[in-house]
Amino acid sequence: MNDTSKIERTVYLVSDGTGITVETFSNAVLSQFDKAYFQQIHLPFIDSIEKAQKSVIIINKNALETGYPPIIFSTLVNQEIMTLLKNSNCIFLDLFGTFVNHIEKAIGQKSNNSIGRSHMVSDSEKYRNRIDAINFCLAHDDGQFVNQLDKADVILIGISRCGKTPTSLYLAMQYAIKAANFPLTPDDFERNMLPSTIVPYKDKLFGLSIHPERLSEVRNERRPNSKYATIEQCRYEVMASEKMMRREGISWLSTTTKSIEEISTTVLQEIGLSRTLA
Amino acid sequence: MNDTSKIERTVYLVSDGTGITVETFSNAVLSQFDKAYFQQIHLPFIDSIEKAQKSVIIINKNALETGYPPIIFSTLVNQEIMTLLKNSNCIFLDLFGTFVNHIEKAIGQKSNNSIGRSHMVSDSEKYRNRIDAINFCLAHDDGQFVNQLDKADVILIGISRCGKTPTSLYLAMQYAIKAANFPLTPDDFERNMLPSTIVPYKDKLFGLSIHPERLSEVRNERRPNSKYATIEQCRYEVMASEKMMRREGISWLSTTTKSIEEISTTVLQEIGLSRTLA
């Protein structure tokens, strides 16, 4: 690293909507650099000339104070607003412009220049499906409610604290997928049978597992010094559940080093569910 | 619309990781066009030459069958893999390349060309905070659990079915924000006082409201033909809750036409919570 690496650069995330697209993109691009080097500041809902002018004041002030023009990641669409921002003391990166032009050329059609569409309730049926999926997921968390499992898109199974709940919620929230989850317990392993409740839905089952050491850590946070959290108990449950899933021919993965996003992406691929942002 | 508008174009979303960044970006860019025109196909986890070669076969087959080169949105980083895909029969849009170059120039540093970083568990403390926030949110849904409200980052309040639960979950999932939520009920309106449980945390409260007609629809889906769902009851509760929030000086917004993302973005701005993707 050279000297400039010690200087922090400000990155403004400017959007006419929620700024979630620009935030996701900026996070991905900046992860190609030393992230500690950047300070990201959000300027969402910049949908008027007045708000744009206020933003320009903030940006120019930052340039003066830091001695460097800040970087702007923009998903603005309105040309007038964009021009104002571009003329501030900054390095302006227009995330949409280049690609919209390429697509216009490719398909021989003009874009409609509409602002902030991607996280708005433009399609209320789609939006209702998403809320329904979240409610379904909450009602069917941890096998609480076993009616309507036939309506589930997927049923995640696995031992306590292997990651079923966060994954189900993510699937519901991002993709409007009705994800139920159902625990595998020591009782099931003694009987050496899948819980009878979920047997009729075998084609919807997907298993999660986890490394015993990691599981013991997680369980110890929840119930310190319990038998439930001992490494012996964790080893037994992990081994028994993986054996059961293998025997029953149920696809499964280990969540130990995976994020909710990685687990969800794999579940969708394996179950063959279509993936459309909700 | 001209003739070409009837032809569907395939868009491949190619990534070496989960593909969530490319999916978010593609959704935003394509919303500038008639979306029905595009079919989006996900090719996540393309992290080897072998997987790249398989993708090229799929893409070339599509070009032949449709008579148009498909559009590729790529967040690939590995040059060898990218070159393979670029040489397929496609219109290749490299989402990172342009911007990474601009940033390298601006800060005088090279990128590290690391793949799939943004949705991996690279920082396990951060990841644990996120899971903790989700668990906190579930435990503190609908005022179920009133201990540890002092640990909440925000407490969403409002009448039944105004959108508290999905918003809380989104805040926890995306930003690792400990979001509790607490109902305002007809009992509270009769007493004409905020629930005593939440009074000590007034600086953390944020209110949600909703249009009575919309509320009545939502409640009717849940409990058809109940008093709870009547338009009169809904009008009364909406009016009483908004009056209470105004009197108590609690910031609030109407969720009627807003998405979870829009509500969450506004809550974060108003409460002054920092917003960092979890």
Side-chain angles (χ1 to χ4, degrees), chain A residues 222-260:
Chain A
R222 199 161 178 97
R223 292 201 223 146
N225 307 315
S226 60
K227 182 182 178 240
Y228 165 82
T230 58
I231 183 68
E232 293 75 26
Q233 181 65 21
C234 291
R235 273 196 198 119
Y236 164 67
E237 291 189 31
V238 168
M239 187 268 303
S241 72
E242 292 183 358
K243 192 175 148 197
M244 183 175 276
M245 295 189 288
R246 240 180 250 118
R247 193 192 59 213
E248 301 283 344
I250 296 163
S251 300
W252 62 276
L253 61 77
S254 170
T255 64
T256 317
T257 57
K258 290 194 163 65
S259 69
I260 304 176

Side-chain angles (χ1 to χ4, degrees), chain A residues 23 32 112 119 127 259-260, chain B residues 32 112 119 127 175 259-260:
Chain A
E23 170 176 51
Q32 308 290 316
N112 51 34
H119 295 100
Y127 192 70
S259 69
I260 304 176
Chain B
Q32 307 290 316
N112 51 35
H119 295 100
Y127 193 70
Y175 301 110
S259 69
I260 304 176

Side-chain angles (χ1 to χ4, degrees), chain A residues 123-150:
Chain A
D123 180 342
S124 71
E125 194 197 325
K126 204 172 156 193
Y127 192 70
R128 204 169 301 184
N129 288 342
R130 185 182 185 195
I131 300 294
D132 285 350
I134 295 172
N135 290 331
F136 183 91
C137 175
L138 289 172
H140 293 82
D141 184 35
D142 207 29
Q144 296 177 52
F145 187 69
V146 296
N147 294 329
Q148 302 193 311
L149 276 181
D150 54 312

Side-chain angles (χ1 to χ4, degrees), chain A:
Chain A
M1 296 242 188
N2 55 27
D3 253 336
T4 54
S5 71
K6 284 161 204 156
I7 302 146
E8 197 178 73
R9 274 297 181 97
T10 310
V11 178
Y12 287 99
L13 309 179
V14 186
S15 162
D16 39 36
T18 61
I20 288 163
T21 304
V22 66
E23 170 176 51
T24 307
F25 191 82
S26 159
N27 244 42
V29 168
L30 295 184
S31 70
Q32 308 290 316
F33 296 90
D34 176 8
K35 243 188 180 172
Y37 181 75
F38 301 99
Q39 190 201 8
Q40 296 184 66
I41 296 178
H42 292 269
L43 298 174
F45 301 128
I46 306 301
D47 52 8
S48 69
I49 296 293
E50 204 193 332
K51 287 186 193 171
Q53 285 165 337
K54 279 189 189 158
S55 305
V56 168
I57 294 171
I58 294 170
I59 291 159
N60 286 338
K61 190 161 169 266
N62 178 284
L64 260 179
E65 285 173 358
T66 63
Y68 287 99
I71 296 167
I72 296 186
F73 278 18
S74 155
T75 51
L76 292 169
V77 172
N78 179 293
Q79 290 297 324
E80 223 179 326
I81 293 178
M82 204 175 346
T83 306
L84 276 171
L85 269 300
K86 267 189 184 164
N87 290 333
S88 70
N89 189 356
C90 72
I91 292 153
F92 190 88
L93 303 178
D94 173 10
L95 302 195
F96 284 175
T98 327
F99 301 107
V100 167
N101 288 344
H102 282 302
I103 296 166
E104 284 180 340
K105 264 185 225 157
I107 69 173
Q109 273 185 53
K110 278 277 168 201
S111 71
N112 51 34
N113 274 324
S114 50
I115 68 165
R117 284 201 171 197
S118 55
H119 295 100
M120 281 164 69
V121 190
S122 49
D123 180 342
S124 71
E125 194 197 325
K126 204 172 156 193
Y127 192 70
R128 204 169 301 184
N129 288 342
R130 185 182 185 195
I131 300 294
D132 285 350
I134 295 172
N135 290 331
F136 183 91
C137 175
L138 289 172
H140 293 82
D141 184 35
D142 207 29
Q144 296 177 52
F145 187 69
V146 296
N147 294 329
Q148 302 193 311
L149 276 181
D150 54 312
K151 299 217 167 71
D153 295 311
V154 60
I155 304 169
L156 298 179
I157 61 170
I159 57 181
S160 168
R161 297 282 110 191
C162 69
K164 300 185 296 297
T165 298
T167 306
S168 312
L169 283 170
Y170 187 84
L171 286 168
M173 185 86 74
Q174 292 296 105
Y175 300 110
I177 294 219
K178 287 188 172 154
N181 74 77
F182 204 92
L184 296 180
T185 68
D187 284 354
D188 302 316
F189 307 139
E190 262 172 51
R191 274 198 307 269
N192 203 19
M193 273 162 53
L194 272 183
S196 59
T197 314
I198 54 173
V199 170
Y201 310 110
K202 228 173 132 180
D203 54 332
K204 296 181 179 184
L205 301 184
F206 190 92
L208 301 184
S209 190
I210 186 170
H211 199 282
E213 269 80 34
R214 177 80 190 108
L215 180 62
S216 176
E217 269 174 52
V218 177
R219 287 185 170 185
N220 256 312
E221 274 170 41
R222 199 161 178 97
R223 292 201 223 146
N225 307 315
S226 60
K227 182 182 178 240
Y228 165 82
T230 58
I231 183 68
E232 293 75 26
Q233 181 65 21
C234 291
R235 273 196 198 119
Y236 164 67
E237 291 189 31
V238 168
M239 187 268 303
S241 72
E242 292 183 358
K243 192 175 148 197
M244 183 175 276
M245 295 189 288
R246 240 180 250 118
R247 193 192 59 213
E248 301 283 344
I250 296 163
S251 300
W252 62 276
L253 61 77
S254 170
T255 64
T256 317
T257 57
K258 290 194 163 65
S259 69
I260 304 176
E261 284 82 356
E262 290 174 301
I263 304 166
S264 299
T265 303
T266 306
V267 170
L268 291 175
Q269 272 194 316
E270 296 268 334
I271 293 273
L273 284 171
S274 81
R275 168 177 169 178
T276 316
L277 276 181

